[in-house]
């Protein structure tokens, strides 16, 4: 799929809070797929590489050390980050590092699919709307992948072709962030 026919889905009900030096962005999304299928997509390295800007050196469905590799626009490895998977509650909760950040994935089975609540705890100040825009694109790609219509991860500058700027501005407005202060 090219950037032309793709249109980002509606904004999610993203929330942002501050906890000490951390910005905490919570991104909820309901996906029309069984929780087991969504769990596989957030833990299996081959699946991750098809919808996120990274992959892992092992399945993330067990605690312990791992390496996450950031990918370039063409899917090539760019930078490796040693991480630790801290919490695994199979098909319900996954907590792991992502560089200096922490990602917490909470999955809940709901009528018609799975509610995913992704929380990113970040030290990057002023990035809340940018993080929300990035995850928004990732979740749109995940939805297409699980629907059997994959078009690959949207990484780096390529995100602008898929509406990242508008999403960033939209989330800034939704979160009450001065758009002149967004990344």
């Amino acid at each position: 799929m090219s950037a032309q026919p793709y249109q980002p889905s509606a904004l999610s009900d993203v929330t942002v809070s501050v906890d000490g030096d951390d910005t905490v962005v919570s991104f909820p999304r309901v996906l029309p797929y069984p929780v087991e299928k969504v769990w596989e997509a957030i833990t299996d390295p081959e699946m991750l590489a098809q919808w996120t800007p990274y992959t892992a050196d092992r399945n993330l469905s067990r605690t312990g050390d791992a390496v996450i590799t950031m990918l370039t626009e063409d899917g090539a490895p760019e930078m490796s980050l040693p991480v630790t998977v801290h919490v695994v509650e199979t098909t319900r909760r996954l907590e792991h590092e992502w560089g200096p950040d922490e990602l917490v994935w909470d999955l809940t089975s709901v009528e018609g699919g799975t509610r995913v609540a992704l929380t990113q705890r970040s030290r990057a100040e002023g990035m809340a709307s940018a993080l929300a825009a990035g995850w928004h694109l990732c979740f749109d790609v995940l939805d297409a992948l699980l629907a059997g219509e994959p078009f690959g991860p949207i990484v780096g500058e390529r995100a602008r072709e898929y509406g990242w700027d508008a999403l960033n501005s939209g989330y800034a407005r939704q979160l009450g962030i001065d758009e002149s202060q967004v990344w």
Side-chain angles (χ1 to χ4, degrees):
M1 175 181 279
S2 73
Q4 306 307 355
Y6 167 80
Q7 291 295 314
S9 59
L11 296 182
S12 291
D13 293 327
V14 172
T15 59
V16 175
S17 61
V18 176
D19 183 13
D21 291 336
D22 294 341
T23 299
V24 181
V25 179
S26 297
F27 191 102
R29 182 79 173 252
V30 175
L31 297 168
Y33 311 100
V35 70
E36 295 81 11
K37 197 170 185 178
V38 176
W39 178 260
E40 179 183 14
I42 68 171
T43 58
D44 179 81
E46 289 181 24
M47 296 283 291
L48 286 167
Q50 294 181 61
W51 69 276
T52 68
Y54 64 91
T55 190
D57 70 333
R58 66 168 180 86
N59 195 297
L60 300 177
S61 62
R62 63 179 166 79
T63 59
D65 294 336
V67 175
I68 286 179
T69 301
M70 302 304 294
L71 303 172
T72 64
E73 293 178 27
D74 62 1
E78 180 174 35
M79 173 179 56
S80 294
L81 306 166
V83 301
T84 301
V85 177
H86 295 286
V87 175
V88 174
E89 296 174 24
T90 304
T91 70
R92 294 182 348 152
R93 187 175 182 95
L94 174 66
E95 295 181 22
H96 64 88
E97 297 164 359
W98 189 34
D101 292 2
E102 179 183 58
L103 298 182
V104 177
W105 304 84
D106 285 306
L107 280 59
T108 307
S109 184
V110 296
E111 185 174 332
T114 301
R115 181 181 188 278
V116 181
L118 170 60
T119 302
Q120 182 169 353
R121 178 178 290 273
S122 178
R123 294 279 165 128
E125 192 174 330
M127 294 285 294
S129 62
L131 294 173
W135 284 116
H136 187 111
L137 291 174
C138 288
F139 275 105
D140 281 358
V141 174
L142 174 59
D143 191 12
L145 172 66
L146 295 179
E149 301 170 0
F151 60 97
I154 301 171
V155 178
E157 285 298 311
R158 189 167 161 244
R160 289 194 148 88
E161 299 171 27
Y162 287 84
W164 183 88
D165 291 314
L167 289 167
N168 189 19
S169 294
Y171 281 116
R173 284 190 300 278
Q174 178 180 302
L175 297 168
I177 298 170
D178 179 351
E179 285 189 61
S180 69
Q181 302 299 312
V182 298
W183 184 78

